[in-house]
Amino acid sequence: QVQLVESGGGLVHAGGSLRLSCAASGSIFSINTMAWYRQAPGKERELVAGITTGGTTNYADSVKGRFTISRGGAKNTVYLQMNSLKPEDTAVYYCNMGITSRGTQWEYLEVWGQGTLVTVSS
């Protein structure tokens, strides 16, 4: 089974920075996509940033120029560098990966982490 574990969340003042990390473990053949989502209380989960195998990135308009998603080289890790944080960035951030796995058969899995809380104070 494949698992994702996020870390790096916390409390920060507006204008500050945080770096989120997500590490995948388990029966991983390849990781096709990596992404970060977030969900604020009372709101739907939304895509924040994504990155493909080829390194193509995309960002929500609200975070462009402030957040950077990157992959950890050979390691099954994705990062989200968050700069110039705003109170509206407050949410639980979830790591998501599209993973090709193999046990007794090939599988394509979409896996979610447990989430890490980011709180930005004014």
Side-chain angles (χ1 to χ4, degrees):
Q1 186 64 42
V2 177
Q3 293 180 289
L4 305 182
V5 179
E6 304 107 325
S7 63
L11 175 64
V12 65
H13 294 293
S17 299
L18 286 173
R19 182 178 174 86
L20 305 183
S21 299
C22 176
S25 62
S27 301
I28 300 170
F29 178 79
S30 65
I31 299 177
N32 305 93
T33 60
M34 294 179 169
W36 288 95
Y37 289 74
R38 67 185 181 188
Q39 187 168 24
K43 296 184 178 180
E44 294 185 348
R45 190 172 299 186
E46 65 173 345
L47 176 66
V48 177
I51 186 168
T52 67
T53 301
T56 301
T57 58
N58 66 285
Y59 299 91
D61 289 341
S62 60
V63 307
K64 286 182 179 178
R66 300 189 297 120
F67 290 11
T68 302
I69 187 171
S70 61
R71 301 182 70 154
K75 297 181 179 180
N76 297 327
T77 306
V78 64
Y79 304 97
L80 185 67
Q81 178 67 46
M82 304 185 294
N83 298 325
S84 301
L85 283 161
K86 304 175 181 179
E88 51 263 45
D89 294 319
T90 296
V92 176
Y93 284 71
Y94 297 91
C95 180
N96 173 270
M97 296 188 188
I99 296 171
T100 299
S101 182
R102 187 176 187 180
T104 57
Q105 64 179 30
W106 293 101
E107 292 183 287
Y108 184 78
L109 306 173
E110 187 173 3
V111 187
W112 293 89
Q114 293 296 315
T116 184
L117 177 63
V118 172
T119 302
V120 184
S121 65
S122 59

